[in-house]
Amino acid sequence: MDEATSRHMDAEMDDIVGQEQRAFTRVMKHLAGRKRSSRQAIDYDGELVTLRDQISEARLEDVPALVAQMERLQQVAARRAEVIEGQVDEASPYFGRMVLEEGGRRREVLIGRSTYLDPKTGIQIVDWRDAPVSRVYYRYEEGDDYDENFGGREVEGEVAVRRSVAISSARLRRIGSVQGTFVCARDDSWRRMGTGTELRGGQGAAPRPADYKPVGKLGIEGLSDGREDKYLPEIASLIDPRQFELITKPESGLVVVQGGAGSGKTTIGLHRMAYLAFQQPKRFQAARMQILVFNDALARYISHVLPALGVPGVPVMTLHTWARKQRIVHAQTLPRKYTDETPDVVVRLKKHPAWLAIIDERVASMEAALLAALTPDIAGQPGAEVVERSLQATEGKALWQRLAALKRAVGDTQRGASAGVRHAVEREAARLQERLDPVAVWAEMLCDRPQLQAAFDKHAPGEFTPGQIGQAFNWCTERCGRILGDIEDREDGGQALREARELDSAVGADGRDEYSSTGLDWEDDVLVLRLFQRLRGPLKRKGQALLYEHMFVDEAQDLSPLEMGVVLGTVNAQSITLAGDVAQRLMMDNGFSSWSNVMGHLGLSHVEIEPLRISYRSTYQIMELANSVLGPLANEVPGEAQRQGTPVELFQFAHTGDAVGFLAESLRGLALSEPMASVAVITRTTEQAADYAEGLTRAEVPNVRYIAEQDFPFKAGIDVVDVRQVKGLEFDYVVLTEVTGASYPDSEEARHLLHIAATRAAHQLWITTTETPSPLLPRALVERGY
């Protein structure tokens, strides 16, 4: 930049800053004067009420004088009311300023959070949410002509001046204009902000699944070719030697991949599935493989990738969907509907990894009872040793399978078991098999408080107080009682067989269960399935054992060890890929604290965890912030970004309207310069997402979509969504809103959520706050924030 240009820009900044400071000083001086005069203000309403009461009690000759006094007071109050005032925040009275030219007349309009109009001074502050004139601020730029209808009146004019300002603690801190953005430093000097305050240059930086193709690979070439879809183009050329080694692991065995955000975990899982299908197409057919993911959005996302990899047709489901489907098949008497009112302590108890050991102990006790009943009858008889050998040979199998094998063994005349041994085994086996109903055992285990307390005291000492066990017991007893009562009523009425045959029609299109008034807890599905596996044997599909040739579980850190145990029991030779990142946990109550802990619960401590060190999605600046947010929860091997980018920026606003105005201006510019860019505006809550989506839509930002139920279209545009829906997804740009101490306190859950949100960005990350910034943000970022 030459000296003349620099002097011109400084003069331009001085002029704009001077204009805004004069306007700001005038408004603040008026508000301060209004505050002083209000201390001596007359309570007109109170005076009028007093006069009304006096008139009702006065003598007839005094009434005319009192009425005249009331009329004079009403006239004074009416003149006083010419000033329309709302609850103006004197620390931040407005965030936008316009000068409008209409028919040769100029007027100033300030945009704020409430309405305050003073005709005498000409100060007009209007509420950004409902004042008609606020549409001009959000819809038009400086220099634009406008034509709007205000209260039935057509108004035409020109926006002579349009600027956004940031005012906090009664100080003018930032000015945004078409000429540039200017900020006030701590020493009260003003400076022009740099290019990091623009969203630009990252169109297509985030990979997306490509259009359906017969064959293909994954890559980043051709990202700015004008395609509207934002699915993942080919990235196979980027697979590094470490990823290739994991992809080409032997077909049998368990591969556990730990990698940070954007490190290629999903790429490895999908490519390994494609590799196995290519190597052994007869064994690894689509119908014999399964992909489980965390949410519906990720399921749809992955389903678009598979055809490009040459493996179309592989089912992709969430764990909830898969478990529900299996439970309906294997426990048809239970209701199909669920409750969303389960207490947190019940959720935590039912997902606890202790159930793996508790269920095994329950099965062992049932087997011990069988032996105790058999021993007196078979002791000393020929063939008694056949019983012992059979039980030893089937150790580890489900109890029903062991009983069936035992009956076959003693029934084989060549083995020499006596008639007494055969009769005793058949009698006791039949008696025990009647008790091997997973639904009945499920209810017994949850509704026996002493045993429940003893089990968790043994396998999870100190994790549940007696009061918490009592709360969970009361909830389970009440609901199990209702469900079992419904089952008994149907059986007593002779309806069980008919209902089983009509199972598919028992649930209407809206998912309502027509034959049960009580819903299950979502966590019950996995408990019942685990009991089925340990009591009856492998899960079934069309009468045969359900055994997948390969399964890929993505975002595995959000599965509980119990859920993982059920899944592992359905995979032939344990040909399975588990991919996850402990730093991206969303489920804080599922018993997944570390990979080593989970593998220990599953009896797989010998399995080696494969760490990925390189992050391909986000820039160095984004990963630096994301890893900082984790603090003590950071991975032992943090992700290492491979490319540099623009700095992460923090923008502090006085309130939501201010933030929406600033973002609307930036996003409209981005939509013009990079129409194929994907943007996520991520909030902490669904309510915040709805507010921001409404505000940006009112500001006529193009292609704004409010994502309520993971209904991502994976197209160019702006998705406004809460943080819990973005797991596993990627965007060119990300704006994290309301990153305050209230939304993201210093807690384990908040650290994981903020880390997940930040690492969705491929190119650029902005952070906004309207209150005190979150303590999780780096101090240096907060201090330099605008």
Side-chain angles (χ1 to χ4, degrees):
M1 182 186 304
D2 58 35
E3 185 177 348
T5 303
S6 177
R7 285 199 303 270
H8 168 72
M9 292 183 66
D10 288 343
E12 183 180 62
M13 180 185 72
D14 292 342
D15 182 43
I16 292 172
V17 170
Q19 292 176 26
E20 295 307 318
Q21 282 184 323
R22 288 190 291 272
F24 169 70
T25 300
R26 175 167 49 86
V27 172
M28 297 303 290
K29 183 177 180 180
H30 170 78
L31 293 178
R34 182 198 67 152
K35 185 176 181 180
R36 286 193 298 271
S37 64
S38 67
R39 296 172 183 168
Q40 304 172 355
I42 298 174
D43 183 2
Y44 295 105
D45 291 339
E47 292 286 344
L48 289 169
V49 170
T50 300
L51 285 172
R52 183 196 63 190
D53 294 340
Q54 290 178 4
I55 290 172
S56 65
E57 300 174 357
R59 292 177 302 176
L60 187 61
E61 59 269 25
D62 294 333
V63 169
L66 292 171
V67 169
Q69 185 178 351
M70 177 177 282
E71 289 175 349
R72 286 195 301 272
L73 193 62
Q74 286 175 329
Q75 291 172 357
V76 173
R79 288 195 297 273
R80 173 74 172 78
E82 289 180 0
V83 176
I84 304 174
E85 51 183 304
Q87 297 297 319
V88 179
D89 182 359
E90 295 184 19
S92 179
Y94 63 97
F95 58 83
R97 189 175 80 89
M98 296 187 296
V99 176
L100 306 179
E101 290 189 354
E102 298 170 352
R105 171 174 164 267
R106 289 169 68 96
R107 64 180 175 122
E108 179 186 69
V109 179
L110 306 175
I111 311 298
R113 280 186 296 177
S114 59
T115 296
Y116 177 91
L117 308 178
D118 187 350
K120 184 177 179 180
T121 62
I123 292 177
Q124 300 182 59
I125 303 177
V126 300
D127 192 322
W128 72 280
R129 293 163 293 191
D130 53 22
V133 73
S134 70
R135 294 200 300 266
V136 177
Y137 178 79
Y138 286 109
R139 293 179 178 179
Y140 300 92
E141 301 294 339
E142 184 172 307
D144 287 350
D145 295 327
Y146 62 87
D147 183 352
E148 291 286 339
N149 187 298
F150 296 153
R153 182 171 62 95
E154 293 292 332
V155 178
E156 297 181 1
E158 179 186 346
V159 182
V161 175
R162 181 198 178 280
R163 292 169 187 158
S164 62
V165 297
I167 302 170
S168 62
S169 302
R171 287 187 60 200
L172 181 62
R173 298 179 181 273
R174 183 178 64 248
I175 302 168
S177 68
V178 294
Q179 293 81 10
T181 302
F182 313 100
V183 294
C184 183
R186 296 181 182 275
D187 61 359
D188 291 333
S189 64
W190 286 82
R191 62 185 176 87
R192 187 182 293 265
M193 291 169 66
T195 58
T197 60
E198 298 179 38
L199 292 170
R200 66 176 186 176
Q203 176 173 266
R208 288 290 177 274
D211 287 330
Y212 291 158
K213 297 177 182 178
V215 294
K217 302 178 288 187
L218 296 174
I220 64 170
E221 299 86 0
L223 288 171
S224 299
D225 58 1
R227 290 182 300 107
E228 184 181 1
D229 70 282
K230 303 301 292 182
Y231 292 111
L232 186 64
E234 302 175 3
I235 64 171
S237 60
L238 294 183
I239 293 174
D240 61 30
R242 179 58 175 157
Q243 291 175 326
F244 184 78
E245 179 185 348
L246 294 174
I247 288 168
T248 57
K249 281 273 188 178
E251 66 273 12
S252 298
L254 174 63
V255 174
V256 180
V257 181
Q258 159 63 42
S263 60
K265 300 182 299 296
T266 303
T267 298
I268 289 171
L270 297 179
H271 276 77
R272 186 177 182 219
M273 186 168 279
Y275 175 82
L276 296 175
F278 180 81
Q279 295 293 325
Q280 298 187 47
K282 290 186 177 180
R283 176 184 172 186
F284 293 103
Q285 299 177 20
R288 296 179 182 177
M289 296 191 288
Q290 175 73 53
I291 300 174
L292 295 182
V293 297
F294 175 72
N295 57 35
D296 290 323
L298 191 54
R300 289 188 293 109
Y301 178 92
I302 288 177
S303 68
H304 286 280
V305 175
L306 294 174
L309 293 175
V311 283
V314 178
V316 186
M317 299 181 187
T318 66
L319 176 76
H320 271 326
T321 300
W322 180 86
R324 181 179 186 270
K325 176 181 177 182
Q326 299 305 327
R327 195 269 305 160
I328 288 174
V329 170
H330 295 88
Q332 296 184 357
T333 57
L334 289 175
R336 283 190 172 187
K337 67 181 182 180
Y338 299 83
T339 178
D340 292 320
E341 300 175 357
T342 311
D344 290 342
V345 67
V346 178
V347 173
R348 187 161 65 92
L349 181 139
K350 288 188 174 182
K351 296 184 79 167
H352 201 282
W355 281 109
L356 289 165
I358 293 172
I359 290 173
D360 285 347
E361 284 190 353
R362 182 61 175 245
V363 173
S365 69
M366 297 174 81
E367 180 183 333
L370 169 70
L371 291 176
L374 276 177
T375 299
D377 293 336
I378 67 174
Q381 292 196 39
E385 69 281 359
V386 175
V387 174
E388 182 178 355
R389 287 199 300 268
S390 176
L391 292 176
Q392 289 176 345
T394 58
E395 188 171 359
K397 291 186 176 294
L399 197 45
W400 185 282
Q401 294 174 301
R402 302 186 73 187
L403 292 176
L406 178 59
K407 288 194 291 185
R408 288 195 299 272
V410 298
D412 186 348
T413 56
Q414 295 183 359
R415 299 192 182 186
S418 66
V421 170
R422 290 198 302 274
H423 293 324
V425 167
E426 289 173 359
R427 180 185 69 248
E428 296 302 329
R431 186 178 298 172
L432 181 55
Q433 283 176 325
E434 291 180 357
R435 298 174 53 204
L436 300 186
D437 177 5
V439 173
V441 178
W442 161 78
E444 291 170 6
M445 296 183 73
L446 291 173
C447 299
D448 187 329
R449 180 168 181 171
Q451 288 195 19
L452 196 63
Q453 182 76 62
F456 277 91
D457 284 347
K458 178 179 179 180
H459 296 288
E463 295 191 33
F464 295 91
T465 66
Q468 290 173 327
I469 292 291
Q471 182 183 354
F473 165 78
N474 291 336
W475 172 269
C476 295
T477 300
E478 188 268 339
R479 301 192 74 80
C480 289
R482 289 186 188 179
I483 292 170
L484 295 181
D486 289 341
I487 293 173
E488 290 177 2
D489 290 344
R490 294 199 305 275
E491 291 176 347
D492 290 344
Q495 302 298 317
L497 180 59
R498 181 176 61 83
E499 288 173 352
R501 290 173 177 171
E502 298 176 356
L503 193 61
D504 288 337
S505 63
V507 177
D510 60 357
R512 290 177 299 171
D513 191 333
E514 298 177 356
Y515 61 80
S516 178
S517 59
T518 305
L520 290 171
D521 297 328
W522 287 98
E523 297 72 29
D524 286 322
D525 285 344
V526 172
L527 275 173
V528 172
L529 291 176
R530 182 64 178 181
L531 282 166
F532 189 97
Q533 288 175 323
R534 298 299 293 119
L535 294 173
R536 305 296 294 261
L539 302 183
K540 304 290 184 181
R541 178 166 58 183
K542 297 180 179 179
Q544 302 295 319
L546 174 62
L547 287 177
Y548 298 105
E549 292 300 332
H550 185 76
M551 180 176 285
F552 169 41
V553 181
D554 202 6
E555 305 293 350
Q557 75 277 357
D558 284 316
L559 269 66
S560 69
L562 179 62
E563 292 166 337
M564 213 170 288
V566 171
V567 169
L568 289 173
T570 64
V571 184
N572 186 28
Q574 289 199 341
S575 178
I576 187 168
T577 305
L578 301 177
D581 180 16
V582 178
Q584 296 187 65
R585 289 170 57 206
L586 276 181
M587 310 303 292
M588 299 294 109
D589 54 6
N590 67 352
F592 193 123
S593 57
S594 68
W595 281 111
S596 58
N597 175 270
V598 171
M599 294 296 104
H601 282 299
L602 297 172
L604 299 170
S605 298
H606 60 282
V607 175
E608 182 180 354
I609 311 302
E610 308 285 356
L612 298 176
R613 293 173 170 80
I614 299 176
S615 175
Y616 296 96
R617 177 193 303 151
S618 303
T619 64
Y620 172 83
Q621 288 79 4
I622 294 170
M623 290 306 301
E624 184 180 36
L625 175 121
N627 291 331
S628 172
V629 161
L630 286 173
L633 305 179
N635 292 324
E636 294 182 4
V637 182
E640 299 175 6
Q642 293 297 289
R643 57 192 174 92
Q644 293 287 328
T646 59
V648 175
E649 299 291 0
L650 170 65
F651 300 91
Q652 301 184 51
F653 301 96
H655 43 74
T656 302
D658 190 1
V660 169
F662 177 79
L663 291 178
E665 191 172 351
S666 300
L667 292 172
R668 281 199 299 266
L670 180 67
L672 290 174
S673 62
E674 300 183 28
M676 303 313 298
S678 62
V679 183
V681 176
I682 302 176
T683 66
R684 176 65 180 83
T685 68
T686 55
E687 292 80 10
Q688 291 171 344
D691 288 345
Y692 271 85
E694 180 183 2
L696 293 173
T697 301
R698 289 181 68 249
E700 296 194 341
V701 177
N703 297 326
V704 172
R705 300 178 289 257
Y706 170 51
I707 306 298
E709 298 291 338
Q710 297 179 3
D711 47 341
F712 293 91
F714 298 112
K715 292 184 177 181
I718 301 159
D719 294 327
V720 187
V721 58
D722 67 278
V723 64
R724 289 190 171 273
Q725 297 192 65
V726 299
K727 185 75 164 291
L729 305 183
E730 302 175 353
F731 302 87
D732 298 328
Y733 302 96
V734 168
V735 179
L736 307 185
T737 67
E738 305 297 343
V739 185
T740 65
S743 294
Y744 296 94
D746 189 354
S747 68
E748 183 175 336
E749 180 182 31
R751 288 183 184 276
H752 286 303
L753 288 173
L754 192 52
H755 176 82
I756 290 169
T759 53
R760 300 311 96 197
H763 179 70
Q764 198 170 358
L765 175 65
W766 278 6
I767 299 171
T768 74
T769 71
T770 57
E771 297 174 8
T772 303
S774 168
L776 304 182
L777 295 176
R779 185 173 180 178
L781 176 63
V782 175
E783 290 180 348
R784 79 162 195 268
Y786 301 109

